[in-house]
Amino acid sequence: MTYKLIKCTKCGLPETYETIEFDAQGVCNICRQFEFKQESIDWSGRKGMLDQLIAEHRGKNDYDCLVPFSGGKDSTFTLYHLVKEYKLKPLVIQFNHGFMRPTLLKNNERTFKELGVDVISFTPNWKVVKRLMLEALVRKGDFCWHCHTGIFSYPMHIAIKFNIPLVFWGEPSSDYTAYYDSREDQIEEVDETRFNRFVNLGITADDMRGMIEGDFPLDPRDLIPYTYPALRDLKRLKYRSVCLGSYIPWDPRKQSQLIMDELGW
């Protein structure tokens, strides 16, 4: 008996894609979320929310906001938009996962110089990273556990150290999964719940420590960059960690062209 894989009648995503569901017309929930964003969100109202959020934090600390930066199209556009449109002074945080190619590094250098921003780049212990990659590959078939966790946890530690309550990411996850629903009124927060829901592959830093400790000379402090900060510290900071794409229409093609034109990306 031959089994036919069910796919979305609009985008072609298969039934094996994470969080996917289909309606009576065979259209997936992610397509429906996209339609909602295109047709039903009051983007002028969302921009007003963004303006207010920025006004609440502008000039209150050494930096107006923190921007985690991979150098891809989304983080580059996010940084560009906040600097050019809002004239913010951000602290840019880069987690070097070990796979930054020469073109990416050149893009980053050109972007930072053009926009005039302060940057902190962190490179974790490569001996530890190699062991983490092996364990993640065996356990989950994805060697980049350290990438996923470090990119989302390390900037939050820096936000606490530098007393920067406002953190901006790029596109919301509802653009490509249904872990969060763009049709809800609540703005998606990039917090520990989100981190544990789908970022860390279901493996916490404590889990990872238990998996590799004993066969690897591990100092518990080696896993701090992959551990989400304590909630009490984040609450004390009164942090907001949000996606710019929750407040403005997100168009990757248009935004990619913009940063190519303006930044030589």
Side-chain angles (χ1 to χ4, degrees):
M1 182 177 179
T2 302
Y3 176 77
K4 184 178 180 180
L5 187 69
I6 300 173
K7 297 182 179 181
C8 175
T9 56
K10 289 196 69 175
C11 71
L13 280 177
E15 60 184 318
T16 52
Y17 189 79
E18 56 184 341
T19 71
I20 201 165
E21 295 177 355
F22 303 98
D23 62 18
Q25 288 73 46
V27 179
C28 74
N29 48 351
I30 299 167
C31 279
R32 294 305 188 198
Q33 288 195 150
F34 179 78
E35 292 171 359
F36 180 83
K37 285 184 176 182
Q38 296 291 101
E39 301 167 2
S40 302
I41 288 183
D42 175 12
W43 288 112
S44 61
R46 288 287 183 95
K47 185 180 183 303
M49 294 170 63
L50 176 61
D51 293 346
Q52 181 178 352
L53 181 63
I54 288 175
E56 290 172 358
H57 293 86
R58 186 191 296 274
K60 300 295 176 61
N61 299 288
D62 290 345
Y63 295 94
D64 297 320
C65 65
L66 184 148
V67 178
F69 190 88
S70 69
K73 65 185 188 308
D74 298 307
S75 60
T76 301
F77 173 77
T78 297
L79 182 61
Y80 173 88
H81 189 81
L82 294 173
V83 171
K84 291 294 187 177
E85 296 297 321
Y86 283 94
K87 306 298 187 290
L88 292 182
K89 180 178 176 59
L91 177 61
V92 179
I93 302 299
Q94 192 168 58
F95 182 88
N96 184 349
H97 44 54
F99 304 106
M100 292 187 173
R101 297 180 179 180
T103 300
L104 174 67
L105 294 174
K106 289 179 181 178
N107 277 339
N108 293 349
E109 182 179 5
R110 190 164 50 247
T111 296
F112 299 152
K113 287 182 177 179
E114 176 65 27
L115 296 180
V117 293
D118 294 349
V119 183
I120 292 178
S121 180
F122 172 74
T123 303
N125 183 329
W126 188 245
K127 289 185 177 180
V128 174
V129 166
K130 288 195 295 183
R131 184 62 184 87
L132 295 175
M133 287 194 293
L134 176 60
E135 193 67 28
L137 180 63
V138 171
R139 299 272 181 174
K140 292 290 185 177
D142 184 344
F143 71 88
C144 221
W145 178 87
H146 77 286
C147 317
H148 308 313
T149 55
I151 286 169
F152 282 94
S153 60
Y154 183 75
M156 304 310 296
H157 287 281
I158 298 301
I160 293 170
K161 290 180 185 297
F162 281 80
N163 193 36
I164 309 172
L166 183 58
V167 181
F168 276 111
W169 306 83
E171 79 283 19
S173 68
S174 55
D175 276 11
Y176 49 88
T177 72
Y179 284 109
Y180 291 87
D181 193 336
S182 62
R183 292 166 289 188
E184 296 177 355
D185 292 334
Q186 187 174 359
I187 296 294
E188 178 181 335
E189 297 280 339
V190 186
D191 55 13
E192 187 174 12
T193 298
R194 185 182 187 271
F195 182 77
N196 289 327
R197 182 173 290 176
F198 67 92
V199 170
N200 66 6
L201 306 179
I203 301 175
T204 67
D206 284 341
D207 294 334
M208 187 61 79
R209 177 184 174 185
M211 292 170 185
I212 67 177
E213 201 170 38
D215 67 347
F216 182 81
L218 184 70
D219 184 321
R221 293 172 296 181
D222 290 335
L223 293 181
I224 289 176
Y226 316 102
T227 305
Y228 214 79
L231 182 59
R232 64 178 179 275
D233 295 331
L234 291 168
K235 284 187 173 180
R236 190 180 303 119
L237 182 64
K238 298 181 180 179
Y239 82 113
R240 291 293 308 279
S241 178
V242 296
C243 298
L244 181 61
S246 294
Y247 298 96
I248 66 172
W250 204 254
D251 187 332
R253 289 185 178 180
K254 181 179 178 180
Q255 291 162 193
S256 295
Q257 189 61 55
L258 176 65
I259 59 176
M260 284 190 282
D261 294 340
E262 296 293 324
L263 302 173
W265 184 83

